[in-house]
């Protein structure tokens, strides 16, 4: 329990440091883009400090919280965070609306949601890691620290969905690891109203309840349960699509598709997302920006699979090893998480604005497990020269990218 409290303390310290740097940077240098200042018309010092949380996508979230979905392109942003922020602003924080105004109160409520979620997510990741690697407590501590040093640091504290999504994802994964499938599916269903990528978590049920039971008498019941839990996991995402259908159909072109989904249409039409759509010469800098996380992912999956390639590639049906590692990053209990990591890597580099992978992977435990393993190897007493260098490079990347990103975010400058 004391170790978990240390994790929470480190997470709180990381958020206070991040927010302080952002506010000081903003008050000192101002912003390159004045859209947030124009929209908010901040007058008092408190209002100006709160405006630092309103950058880029956060402008959409606040607009949705105040007025709902007005424009079709806004459906790229899911309603979970705006709804929670508006509810809190109109209830718990309603007395201070007189002093701050509606918009600033929504921002305050949203910022509290994201930062509290971040702190809780660090604890959930710690408990999840202890569950997956019970014989490796050191990995749990260092993984949580790696999460607290996530490169997109300010995005985790601003009015963005990364932190609430990470909390719901990690907690659901923890319950999944404990075989509490119904609870996990409910949490992931809520998560899918925050971010669309929660729908891929249905793969955990397919892996456990179908794939791992092939040839067994429990496979049929596993299939039925998997369908039920998948439906719950997709519920938030499905509700968002259905709302869009009611709002715009049959007038819009996507309404006539076999499965009419406003989200996929909006992503392609307004944000240029789609298969290989980002593969242009002018996007080379963004691919370079994403290269560190891509490299960590490729090497991390390679190192995991290296212990038993046959077992990994056969989805666990065949094995060339007699004994499973216990004090190791290569624990077989982590397999479904590694498959998820690989699947999302493939999706990110082919169908997304690739630089967003830095934020997209904030809810993926294997990224932090592998980072932690590198730090344990490099900073431990038995660390070899190469391991020490790798550990230092990765730590430097986490810290420097995070610090520079905070300043750029506060100034409303890319590539934050």
């Amino acid at each position: 329990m004391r170790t978990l409290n240390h994790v929470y303390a480190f997470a709180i310290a990381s958020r206070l440091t991040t927010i302080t740097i952002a506010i000081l940077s903003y008050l000192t240098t101002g912003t390159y883009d004045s859209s947030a200042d124009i929209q908010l018309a901040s007058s008092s010092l408190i209002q100006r400090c709160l405006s630092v949380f309103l950058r880029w996508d956060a402008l959409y979230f606040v607009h949705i919280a105040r007025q709902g979905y007005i424009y079709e392109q806004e459906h790229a942003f899911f309603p979970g965070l705006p709804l929670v922020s508006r509810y809190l602003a109109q209830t718990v924080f309603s007395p201070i609306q007189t002093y701050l105004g509606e918009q600033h109160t929504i921002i305050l409520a949203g910022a509290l949601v994201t930062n509290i979620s971040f702190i809780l997510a660090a604890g959930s990741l710690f408990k999840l890691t202890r569950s997956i690697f019970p014989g490796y407590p050191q990995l749990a501590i260092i993984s949580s620290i790696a999460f607290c040093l996530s490169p997109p640091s300010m995005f985790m504290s601003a009015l963005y969905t990364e932190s609430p999504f990470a909390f719901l994802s990690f907690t659901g994964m923890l319950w999944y690891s404990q075989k509490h499938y119904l609870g996990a599916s409910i949490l992931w269903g809520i998560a899918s109203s925050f971010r669309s990528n929660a729908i891929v978590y249905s793969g955990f049920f397919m892996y456990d309840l179908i794939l791992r039971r092939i040839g067994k008498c429990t496979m049929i019941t596993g299939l039925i349960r998997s369908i039920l839990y998948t439906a719950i996991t997709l519920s938030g995402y499905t509700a968002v699509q259905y709302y869009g259908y009611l709002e715009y159909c049959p007038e819009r072109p996507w309404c006539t598709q076999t499965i009419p989904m406003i989200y996929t249409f909006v992503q392609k039409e307004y944000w240029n997302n789609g298969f290989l759509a980002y593969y242009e010469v002018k996007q080379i800098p963004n691919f370079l920006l994403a290269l560190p996380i891509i490299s960590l992912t490729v090497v991390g999956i390679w190192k995991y699979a290296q212990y038993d390639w046959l077992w990994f590639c056969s989805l666990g049906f065949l094995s060339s090893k007699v004994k499973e590692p216990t004090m190791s990053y290569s624990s077989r209990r982590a397999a479904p998480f590694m498959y998820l990591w690989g699947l999302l890597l493939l999706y990110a580099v082919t169908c997304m604005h690739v630089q967003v992978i830095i934020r997209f992977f904030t809810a993926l435990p294997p990224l932090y497990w592998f980072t932690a393993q590198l730090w344990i190897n490099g900073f431990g007493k038995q660390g070899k020269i190469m391991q020490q260098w790798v550990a230092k490079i990765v730590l430097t990347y986490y810290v420097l990218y995070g610090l520079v990103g905070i300043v750029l975010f506060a100034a409303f400058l890319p590539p934050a």
Side-chain angles (χ1 to χ4, degrees):
M1 179 60 73
R2 193 166 70 176
T3 303
L4 180 59
N5 289 337
H6 290 161
V7 168
Y8 286 133
F10 191 86
I12 292 170
S14 75
R15 292 310 89 201
L16 291 175
T17 302
T18 296
I19 294 169
T20 301
I21 293 173
I23 291 174
L24 291 177
S25 176
Y26 167 63
L27 294 177
T28 304
T29 64
T31 60
Y32 172 77
D33 187 323
S34 59
S35 9
D37 295 331
I38 293 171
Q39 178 172 321
L40 292 174
S42 303
S43 54
S44 69
L45 178 61
I46 294 177
Q47 288 177 325
R48 292 188 66 205
C49 290
L50 284 172
S51 70
V52 80
F53 296 104
L54 193 67
R55 300 289 184 268
W56 311 106
D57 297 354
L59 291 162
Y60 286 97
F61 287 123
V62 171
H63 184 262
I64 294 167
R66 294 184 67 211
Q67 301 182 36
Y69 288 95
I70 304 297
Y71 307 107
E72 188 178 56
Q73 62 265 34
E74 289 182 318
H75 286 265
F77 307 96
F78 278 35
L81 180 59
L83 286 175
V84 173
S85 301
R86 182 173 66 184
Y87 175 77
L88 291 175
Q90 293 176 347
T91 54
V92 178
F93 297 105
S94 60
I96 64 175
Q97 281 205 35
T98 307
Y99 306 99
L100 290 181
E102 182 190 24
Q103 290 192 85
H104 288 92
T105 305
I106 289 173
I107 294 170
L108 174 62
L112 285 172
V113 168
T114 58
N115 284 278
I116 292 172
S117 294
F118 181 93
I119 295 163
L120 296 175
S124 291
L125 178 60
F126 174 84
K127 289 182 275 191
L128 169 64
T129 310
R130 287 302 305 268
S131 177
I132 300 297
F133 304 91
Y136 202 179
Q138 188 181 14
L139 190 71
I141 300 168
I142 307 302
S143 297
S144 301
I145 291 174
F147 173 76
C148 293
L149 297 176
S150 295
S153 186
M154 191 57 199
F155 287 94
M156 307 293 279
S157 281
L159 235 71
Y160 274 70
T161 55
E162 274 73 9
S163 289
F165 185 74
F167 168 60
L168 292 168
S169 296
F170 295 159
T171 307
M173 290 171 184
L174 172 64
W175 290 1
Y176 157 78
S177 72
Q178 297 169 339
K179 309 300 182 186
H180 301 318
Y181 297 129
L182 178 59
S185 67
I186 292 172
L187 282 178
W188 291 338
I190 298 171
S192 71
S193 71
F194 281 77
R195 292 182 70 90
S196 64
N197 42 308
I199 63 177
V200 300
Y201 296 156
S202 58
F204 284 105
F205 304 124
M206 298 176 192
Y207 181 85
D208 259 28
L209 301 176
I210 302 175
L211 189 65
R212 304 306 300 162
R213 299 186 182 192
I214 289 178
K216 298 179 181 178
C217 58
T218 57
M219 182 182 170
I220 299 301
T221 57
L223 174 62
I224 295 170
R225 292 174 66 195
S226 180
I227 292 173
L228 170 64
Y229 299 142
T230 295
I232 297 172
T233 300
L234 299 180
S235 61
Y237 178 86
T238 304
V240 173
Q241 305 315 301
Y242 183 63
Y243 174 81
Y245 183 86
L246 293 178
E247 286 289 304
Y248 295 99
C249 290
E251 286 79 13
R252 299 297 291 141
W254 56 269
C255 298
T256 58
Q257 295 175 351
T258 306
I259 304 178
M261 289 195 294
I262 188 172
Y263 178 72
T264 52
F265 173 80
V266 165
Q267 286 289 357
K268 184 176 182 179
E269 182 74 11
Y270 297 100
W271 307 101
N272 192 35
N273 278 313
F275 184 66
L276 302 184
Y278 219 55
Y279 278 69
E280 302 174 305
V281 173
K282 65 181 181 180
Q283 302 298 348
I284 290 176
N286 286 322
F287 276 87
L288 294 175
L289 192 66
L291 188 59
I293 296 297
I294 293 173
S295 301
L296 271 175
T297 300
V298 171
V299 177
I301 294 172
W302 179 278
K303 288 292 185 182
Y304 178 85
Q306 199 174 39
Y307 179 80
D308 191 343
W309 276 106
L310 182 61
W311 187 88
F312 183 78
C313 294
S314 67
L315 300 178
F317 287 103
L318 302 172
S319 178
S320 60
K321 301 287 185 181
V322 176
K323 189 177 180 181
E324 177 186 351
T326 52
M327 281 282 292
S328 171
Y329 161 78
S330 299
S331 170
R332 288 178 178 173
R333 294 193 63 186
F337 298 91
M338 298 299 171
Y339 295 133
L340 174 67
W341 199 14
L343 175 67
L344 292 182
L345 172 66
L346 182 63
Y347 177 77
V349 299
T350 58
C351 301
M352 287 175 49
H353 293 183
V354 70
Q355 74 274 18
V356 179
I357 194 173
I358 301 169
R359 291 160 41 204
F360 188 57
F361 277 15
T362 50
L364 276 175
L367 174 64
Y368 306 114
W369 294 340
F370 183 56
T371 298
Q373 187 62 60
L374 292 176
W375 290 349
I376 290 169
N377 292 342
F379 297 126
K381 294 180 180 179
Q382 306 299 322
K384 299 176 182 178
I385 298 297
M386 181 57 71
Q387 291 175 325
Q388 292 174 8
W389 272 104
V390 170
K392 289 176 182 177
I393 289 171
V394 173
L395 178 59
T396 302
Y397 166 73
Y398 267 65
V399 174
L400 281 185
Y401 191 101
L403 289 173
V404 172
I406 294 169
V407 174
L408 291 175
F409 186 97
F412 221 136
L413 285 168

